[in-house]
Amino acid sequence: MAFWDDDLLISVEEVDNQHRDLCNMASELLSSFAEGKTDDKIEPALIYFENYIKEHFDAEEKILEKVNFPYYEQHKEEHDKFKLQIQKFREILEREEITENFVKEFNLKIVDWLIFHVREMDGLVAKFIKEENKDSL
């Protein structure tokens, strides 16, 4: 169920490695849902994913600031919305069993968003860095 593809690379090694890790983690979570693993096995993985997201966004935002990315605020706002979405899924999981709807929503709001964000929004960052010759990363 892995959805990483090298067309998601943005040519910033640290960020590319983190994106690959995030895609793999999201894929593993979806597999766990599909296999019917118990909530006590999934919840720690979701918490780890949530914490890793925060670390990744912090690192990425530092890079955006370093290169003076002109759409920094909009990019950060998208990160903040995503962090809230992950938190909501964790809170739902704390109260309820995993349902088919939960899995569909996770796939739509987490996996699809992540792929779109990396490909489109982070792709703009990569293009900016390349055009501005900000090779010091």
Side-chain angles (χ1 to χ4, degrees), residues 2 9-10 22 44 54-55 84 92-93 97-98 101 105 128-129:
L9 292 169
I10 68 163
L22 287 168
K54 290 174 185 174
E55 290 175 24
L84 286 173
I92 290 168
L93 192 58
E97 296 290 315
I98 295 170
N101 190 53
E105 289 295 308
F128 175 79
I129 290 170

mmCIF file of all heavy atoms in Angstrom, residues 2 9-10 22 44 54-55 84 92-93 97-98 101 105 128-129:
data_model
loop_
_atom_site.group_PDB
_atom_site.id
_atom_site.type_symbol
_atom_site.label_atom_id
_atom_site.label_comp_id
_atom_site.label_asym_id
_atom_site.label_seq_id
_atom_site.Cartn_x
_atom_site.Cartn_y
_atom_site.Cartn_z
ATOM 1 N N ALA A 2 2.160 1.105 -0.201
ATOM 2 C CA ALA A 2 3.065 2.250 -0.205
ATOM 3 C C ALA A 2 2.699 3.199 -1.332
ATOM 4 O O ALA A 2 2.351 2.770 -2.418
ATOM 5 C CB ALA A 2 4.502 1.790 -0.344
ATOM 6 N N LEU A 9 10.021 13.839 -4.963
ATOM 7 C CA LEU A 9 11.281 14.440 -4.527
ATOM 8 C C LEU A 9 11.293 15.934 -4.827
ATOM 9 O O LEU A 9 10.856 16.367 -5.897
ATOM 10 C CB LEU A 9 12.465 13.770 -5.234
ATOM 11 C CG LEU A 9 12.737 12.319 -4.859
ATOM 12 C CD1 LEU A 9 13.745 11.699 -5.824
ATOM 13 C CD2 LEU A 9 13.234 12.218 -3.424
ATOM 14 N N ILE A 10 11.819 16.715 -3.866
ATOM 15 C CA ILE A 10 11.928 18.161 -4.082
ATOM 16 C C ILE A 10 13.385 18.626 -4.101
ATOM 17 O O ILE A 10 13.648 19.813 -4.178
ATOM 18 C CB ILE A 10 11.115 18.956 -3.042
ATOM 19 C CG1 ILE A 10 11.699 18.827 -1.641
ATOM 20 C CG2 ILE A 10 9.651 18.561 -3.071
ATOM 21 C CD1 ILE A 10 11.210 19.888 -0.688
ATOM 22 N N LEU A 22 7.323 9.864 6.124
ATOM 23 C CA LEU A 22 5.915 10.165 6.388
ATOM 24 C C LEU A 22 4.998 9.322 5.513
ATOM 25 O O LEU A 22 3.982 8.800 5.987
ATOM 26 C CB LEU A 22 5.634 11.652 6.165
ATOM 27 C CG LEU A 22 6.198 12.592 7.228
ATOM 28 C CD1 LEU A 22 6.110 14.036 6.754
ATOM 29 C CD2 LEU A 22 5.454 12.414 8.540
ATOM 30 N N PRO A 44 -0.343 4.113 19.386
ATOM 31 C CA PRO A 44 1.050 4.569 19.498
ATOM 32 C C PRO A 44 1.662 4.945 18.132
ATOM 33 O O PRO A 44 2.432 5.904 18.046
ATOM 34 C CB PRO A 44 1.785 3.367 20.108
ATOM 35 C CG PRO A 44 0.728 2.575 20.774
ATOM 36 C CD PRO A 44 -0.515 2.781 19.965
ATOM 37 N N LYS A 54 5.016 17.003 13.288
ATOM 38 C CA LYS A 54 5.390 18.275 13.926
ATOM 39 C C LYS A 54 6.870 18.565 13.721
ATOM 40 O O LYS A 54 7.252 19.690 13.375
ATOM 41 C CB LYS A 54 5.047 18.242 15.415
ATOM 42 C CG LYS A 54 3.553 18.258 15.686
ATOM 43 C CD LYS A 54 3.255 18.086 17.164
ATOM 44 C CE LYS A 54 1.763 17.972 17.410
ATOM 45 N NZ LYS A 54 1.447 17.670 18.810
ATOM 46 N N GLU A 55 7.718 17.566 13.926
ATOM 47 C CA GLU A 55 9.164 17.744 13.727
ATOM 48 C C GLU A 55 9.467 18.100 12.271
ATOM 49 O O GLU A 55 10.273 18.988 12.003
ATOM 50 C CB GLU A 55 9.916 16.473 14.104
ATOM 51 C CG GLU A 55 9.936 16.169 15.582
ATOM 52 C CD GLU A 55 10.591 14.829 15.877
ATOM 53 O OE1 GLU A 55 11.404 14.349 15.070
ATOM 54 O OE2 GLU A 55 10.265 14.255 16.934
ATOM 55 N N LEU A 84 -3.775 19.898 13.035
ATOM 56 C CA LEU A 84 -5.069 19.800 13.708
ATOM 57 C C LEU A 84 -5.862 18.587 13.222
ATOM 58 O O LEU A 84 -6.538 17.920 14.007
ATOM 59 C CB LEU A 84 -5.887 21.074 13.496
ATOM 60 C CG LEU A 84 -5.439 22.289 14.285
ATOM 61 C CD1 LEU A 84 -6.225 23.531 13.848
ATOM 62 C CD2 LEU A 84 -5.599 22.064 15.778
ATOM 63 N N ILE A 92 -10.415 10.943 17.868
ATOM 64 C CA ILE A 92 -11.488 10.015 17.489
ATOM 65 C C ILE A 92 -11.097 8.595 17.873
ATOM 66 O O ILE A 92 -11.893 7.842 18.432
ATOM 67 C CB ILE A 92 -11.791 10.113 15.977
ATOM 68 C CG1 ILE A 92 -12.461 11.444 15.660
ATOM 69 C CG2 ILE A 92 -12.662 8.943 15.511
ATOM 70 C CD1 ILE A 92 -12.549 11.759 14.179
ATOM 71 N N LEU A 93 -9.864 8.240 17.578
ATOM 72 C CA LEU A 93 -9.381 6.893 17.879
ATOM 73 C C LEU A 93 -9.396 6.608 19.379
ATOM 74 O O LEU A 93 -9.609 5.480 19.801
ATOM 75 C CB LEU A 93 -7.970 6.713 17.307
ATOM 76 C CG LEU A 93 -7.408 5.314 17.271
ATOM 77 C CD1 LEU A 93 -8.302 4.391 16.454
ATOM 78 C CD2 LEU A 93 -6.006 5.329 16.691
ATOM 79 N N GLU A 97 -14.002 3.001 18.038
ATOM 80 C CA GLU A 97 -13.354 1.932 17.284
ATOM 81 C C GLU A 97 -13.071 2.431 15.874
ATOM 82 O O GLU A 97 -13.714 3.371 15.394
ATOM 83 C CB GLU A 97 -14.269 0.704 17.201
ATOM 84 C CG GLU A 97 -14.566 0.050 18.535
ATOM 85 C CD GLU A 97 -13.351 -0.638 19.117
ATOM 86 O OE1 GLU A 97 -12.657 -1.350 18.365
ATOM 87 O OE2 GLU A 97 -13.101 -0.465 20.319
ATOM 88 N N ILE A 98 -12.146 1.765 15.213
ATOM 89 C CA ILE A 98 -11.860 2.094 13.821
ATOM 90 C C ILE A 98 -12.995 1.560 12.955
ATOM 91 O O ILE A 98 -13.348 0.393 13.044
ATOM 92 C CB ILE A 98 -10.517 1.483 13.386
ATOM 93 C CG1 ILE A 98 -9.393 2.121 14.186
ATOM 94 C CG2 ILE A 98 -10.293 1.674 11.886
ATOM 95 C CD1 ILE A 98 -8.061 1.445 14.014
ATOM 96 N N ASN A 101 -15.547 4.139 7.711
ATOM 97 C CA ASN A 101 -15.586 5.574 7.463
ATOM 98 C C ASN A 101 -14.322 6.264 7.975
ATOM 99 O O ASN A 101 -13.788 7.169 7.325
ATOM 100 C CB ASN A 101 -16.840 6.207 8.088
ATOM 101 C CG ASN A 101 -17.024 7.627 7.647
ATOM 102 O OD1 ASN A 101 -17.026 7.921 6.449
ATOM 103 N ND2 ASN A 101 -17.173 8.523 8.609
ATOM 104 N N GLU A 105 -11.863 8.424 5.639
ATOM 105 C CA GLU A 105 -11.549 9.812 5.971
ATOM 106 C C GLU A 105 -10.042 10.010 6.180
ATOM 107 O O GLU A 105 -9.479 11.017 5.763
ATOM 108 C CB GLU A 105 -12.320 10.260 7.220
ATOM 109 C CG GLU A 105 -13.797 10.434 6.990
ATOM 110 C CD GLU A 105 -14.098 11.565 6.024
ATOM 111 O OE1 GLU A 105 -13.606 12.682 6.219
ATOM 112 O OE2 GLU A 105 -14.845 11.317 5.046
ATOM 113 N N PHE A 128 11.274 27.325 -6.316
ATOM 114 C CA PHE A 128 11.791 28.600 -5.819
ATOM 115 C C PHE A 128 13.267 28.487 -5.455
ATOM 116 O O PHE A 128 14.071 29.329 -5.831
ATOM 117 C CB PHE A 128 10.975 29.074 -4.607
ATOM 118 C CG PHE A 128 11.511 30.317 -3.972
ATOM 119 C CD1 PHE A 128 11.263 31.558 -4.530
ATOM 120 C CD2 PHE A 128 12.269 30.250 -2.810
ATOM 121 C CE1 PHE A 128 11.772 32.717 -3.952
ATOM 122 C CE2 PHE A 128 12.778 31.387 -2.218
ATOM 123 C CZ PHE A 128 12.529 32.638 -2.792
ATOM 124 N N ILE A 129 13.600 27.430 -4.722
ATOM 125 C CA ILE A 129 14.993 27.240 -4.303
ATOM 126 C C ILE A 129 15.888 27.104 -5.531
ATOM 127 O O ILE A 129 16.953 27.722 -5.600
ATOM 128 C CB ILE A 129 15.118 26.019 -3.370
ATOM 129 C CG1 ILE A 129 14.452 26.330 -2.029
ATOM 130 C CG2 ILE A 129 16.580 25.615 -3.191
ATOM 131 C CD1 ILE A 129 14.306 25.134 -1.106
#
